[in-house]
């Protein structure tokens, strides 16, 4: 029998003892390399040259953080601070604007793993499912190609949800406040937190409504750099109000490349329908809150995550002015949750991801393979599927985890 070489013996022992870590490490390296290869391309992004690069150049010409006095754009202060800080570095803006989302994607991955492992107790499956989110097309394209920063507010949402599962509501609302201070789109997860309060928390011990005051407190603190720079209280703290006016000011219509209900002939009627759409969503959420309260005894940790996904999905389906990126956080949570905790919604999860890929393909690569109303039909069908599954679980007392 041929004698085994020492190097082979070492490698076999390493594989036997550390195969999980090796595979996970190789996947992370592949995820990072994919971003390294894509990041230098700035031409596919519809916003980089017009907005992000121009904003960084503005801060370079106006003293970096001093330029916050005349902050361009309508982003709230934390993102403006990021663009101002980019101006201090001698690199092209795309370098840091690619690194920051990548770091936040890794943070989200870590907390998604912690959420899944908390729910299932399956360390290996949870780790691989969380790592797989780094390869979702909308995640890769959003940061590396588009130079968007949806990963930033999303990572704080994932931390907030983990804090909820640990029954630490003050921490949950502080981290939610940070997410909201970075991006108004974090609001789609607010209904889940309010429903959780109405239900008395996961363990029915309750938590104070005053904990929600952390959201405006964090928002006000986050605005201080611009206030100190002299931007003005109104101009600083009413930034989100300006964003909500984009439907009329920039001609987006009821929807902008997002496959929700308003693609079915309603897009051009934003002045007529937008306020009614918001009231419709409000009414639907009121009934959802009532429904969840009636079945609050069936809410465990897994059901809370299920509810967070469903209510966020409901918001993006009914809110006017949605852009192709605004389901980023919802879809990032739905995908690994379906794989590890609720196999019954794997098919609608795949449908929703395909719709996301189609919208990114249209916007970034100009590859409009299907009309948007066809994509919206599939996306809506996926939402209905997820809705039916959630309602069945609550009304029939089915297990929240069906792996």
């Amino acid at each position: 029998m041929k004698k085994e070489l020492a190097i082979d013996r070492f490698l076999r022992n390493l594989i036997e003892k550390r195969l999980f870590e090796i595979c996970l490490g190789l996947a992370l390296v592949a995820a990072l390399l994919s971003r390294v290869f894509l990041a230098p391309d700035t031409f596919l992004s519809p916003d980089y040259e017009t907005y992000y690069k121009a904003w960084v150049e503005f801060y370079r010409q106006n003293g970096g953080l001093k330029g916050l006095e005349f902050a361009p754009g309508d982003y709230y202060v934390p993102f403006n601070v990021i663009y101002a800080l980019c101006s201090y570095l001698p690199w092209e803006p795309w370098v840091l604007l690619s690194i920051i989302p990548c770091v936040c994607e890794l943070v989200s991955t870590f907390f998604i793993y912690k959420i899944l492992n908390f729910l299932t107790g399956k360390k290996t499956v949870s780790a691989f499912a969380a790592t797989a989110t780094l390869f979702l097309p909308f995640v890769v394209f959003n940061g590396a190609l588009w130079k968007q920063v949806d990963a930033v507010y999303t990572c704080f949402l994932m931390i907030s949800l983990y804090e909820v599962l640990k029954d630490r509501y003050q921490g949950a609302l502080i981290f939610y406040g940070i997410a909201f201070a970075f991006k108004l789109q974090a609001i789609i997860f607010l209904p889940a937190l309010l429903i959780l309060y109405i239900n008395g928390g996961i363990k029915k011990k309750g938590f104070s409504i005053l904990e929600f005051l952390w959201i405006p407190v964090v928002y006000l603190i986050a605005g201080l750099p611009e206030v100190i720079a002299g931007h003005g209280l109104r101009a600083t703290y009413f930034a989100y109000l300006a964003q909500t006016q984009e439907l009329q000011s920039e001609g987006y219509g009821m929807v902008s490349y997002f496959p929700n209900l308003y693609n079915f002939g309603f897009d051009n009627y934003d002045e007529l329908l937008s306020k009614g759409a918001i009231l419709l969503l409000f009414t639907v959420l009121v009934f959802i809150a009532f429904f969840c309260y009636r079945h609050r005894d069936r809410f465990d940790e897994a059901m809370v995550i299920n509810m967070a996904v469903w209510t966020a999905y409901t918001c993006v389906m009914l809110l006017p002015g949605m852009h192709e990126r605004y389901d980023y956080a919802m879809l990032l949570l739905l995908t690994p949750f379906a794989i590890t905790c609720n196999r019954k919604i794997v098919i609608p999860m795949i449908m929703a991801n395909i719709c996301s890929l189609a919208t990114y393909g249209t916007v970034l690569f100009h590859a409009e393979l299907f009309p948007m109303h066809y994509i919206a039909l599939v996306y809506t069908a996926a939402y209905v599927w997820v809705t039916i599954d959630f309602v069945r679980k609550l009304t029939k007392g089915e297990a929240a985890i069906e792996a």
Side-chain angles (χ1 to χ4, degrees):
M1 184 176 179
K2 188 176 179 180
K3 185 178 180 181
E4 187 178 37
L5 297 176
I7 187 172
D8 293 320
R9 187 164 56 253
F10 169 77
L11 290 175
R12 292 186 190 284
N13 287 334
L14 184 64
I15 290 171
E16 183 177 348
K17 295 178 180 179
R18 292 286 182 262
L19 183 60
F20 167 71
E21 290 85 354
I22 291 170
C23 291
L24 204 62
L26 291 173
L28 289 173
V29 170
L32 292 173
L33 286 176
S34 67
R35 286 152 175 80
V36 169
F37 295 143
L38 292 175
D41 187 292
T42 61
F43 299 102
L44 289 177
S45 171
D47 296 314
Y48 177 76
E49 295 286 342
T50 304
Y51 299 109
Y52 312 138
K53 183 177 180 179
W55 292 345
V56 173
E57 293 299 330
F58 169 85
Y59 288 113
R60 280 178 177 160
Q61 296 169 13
N62 290 272
L65 290 171
K66 294 179 181 178
L68 291 173
E69 180 180 359
F70 307 102
D74 59 3
Y75 276 10
Y76 192 49
V77 183
F79 277 137
N80 291 336
V81 170
I82 288 177
Y83 292 118
L85 292 176
C86 287
S87 70
Y88 289 103
L89 299 175
W91 312 327
E92 281 293 309
W94 65 262
V95 176
L96 199 56
L97 293 179
S98 300
I99 291 174
I100 291 172
C102 182
V103 171
C104 291
E105 288 160 11
L106 293 173
V107 173
S108 288
T109 297
F110 177 69
F111 278 94
I112 289 171
Y113 157 72
K114 290 177 74 69
I115 290 170
L116 299 178
N117 189 44
F118 182 89
L119 295 178
T120 66
K122 299 177 180 178
K123 178 180 178 181
T124 302
V125 173
S126 299
F128 280 123
T131 304
T133 63
L134 291 171
F135 295 91
L136 292 171
F138 73 90
V139 174
V140 178
F141 294 156
N142 187 283
L145 270 184
W146 204 328
K147 312 300 183 289
Q148 284 285 354
V149 281
D150 294 287
V152 179
Y153 82 92
T154 297
C155 78
F156 291 107
L157 283 176
M158 297 304 114
I159 299 172
S160 175
L161 288 172
Y162 179 69
E163 290 292 295
V164 165
L165 296 182
K166 300 293 286 186
D167 218 34
R168 298 192 291 247
Y169 298 106
Q170 183 181 85
L173 286 157
I174 289 174
F175 280 109
Y176 175 81
I178 297 172
F180 182 77
F182 269 103
K183 210 70 182 288
L184 175 60
Q185 283 71 49
I187 201 169
I188 67 172
F189 278 86
L190 182 59
L193 293 171
L194 290 170
I195 291 171
L196 190 61
Y197 167 76
I198 293 170
N199 284 359
I202 296 176
K203 297 180 180 179
K204 307 304 180 288
K205 296 179 181 178
F207 61 99
S208 175
I209 190 67
L210 297 179
E211 298 287 6
F212 284 89
L213 291 177
W214 283 110
I215 301 172
V217 166
V218 172
Y219 183 83
L220 291 172
I221 293 172
L224 289 179
E226 277 190 16
V227 173
I228 294 171
H231 191 57
L233 292 173
R234 181 178 179 83
T236 298
Y237 291 120
F238 282 73
Y240 284 166
L241 182 62
Q243 288 185 22
T244 61
Q245 304 304 314
E246 284 184 351
L247 273 72
Q248 285 77 32
S249 65
E250 299 192 23
Y252 286 129
M254 288 292 286
V255 68
S256 176
Y257 293 104
F258 188 81
N260 67 9
L261 295 172
Y262 302 117
N263 286 280
F264 302 128
F266 306 105
D267 189 22
N268 296 324
Y269 297 93
D270 50 282
E271 291 188 16
L272 177 66
L273 299 177
S274 59
K275 291 182 177 62
I278 294 171
L279 291 173
L280 171 63
L281 173 61
F282 174 78
T283 304
V284 169
L285 290 174
V286 167
F287 281 108
I288 287 174
F290 177 78
F291 173 70
C292 290
Y293 181 76
R294 290 290 298 272
H295 298 90
R296 62 191 181 280
D297 292 337
R298 292 174 180 169
F299 269 83
D300 57 9
E301 289 84 352
M303 192 63 75
V304 167
I305 299 299
N306 209 338
M307 182 264 292
V309 170
W310 178 50
T311 52
Y313 205 158
T314 301
C315 287
V316 297
M317 286 299 297
L318 296 179
L319 274 173
M322 292 290 98
H323 293 208
E324 57 288 310
R325 301 172 287 103
Y326 287 2
D327 63 349
Y328 183 104
M330 181 278 293
L331 201 51
L332 185 69
L333 187 59
L334 167 64
T335 303
F337 180 77
I339 293 170
T340 60
C341 299
N342 190 357
R343 299 284 175 83
K344 287 186 177 181
I345 58 172
V346 165
I347 292 177
M349 175 272 289
I350 293 173
M351 292 164 62
N353 272 279
I354 291 174
C355 290
S356 176
L357 177 61
T359 57
Y360 273 75
T362 299
V363 175
L364 290 178
F365 300 97
H366 308 290
E368 191 172 353
L369 299 179
F370 305 100
M372 187 53 65
H373 60 276
Y374 289 160
I375 300 171
L377 186 63
V378 176
Y379 194 77
T380 303
Y383 168 71
V384 172
W385 193 322
V386 171
T387 300
I388 292 173
D389 176 78
F390 182 80
V391 171
R392 184 192 299 119
K393 278 180 166 51
L394 278 191
T395 55
K396 294 187 178 181
E398 295 181 7
I401 294 181
E402 298 182 9

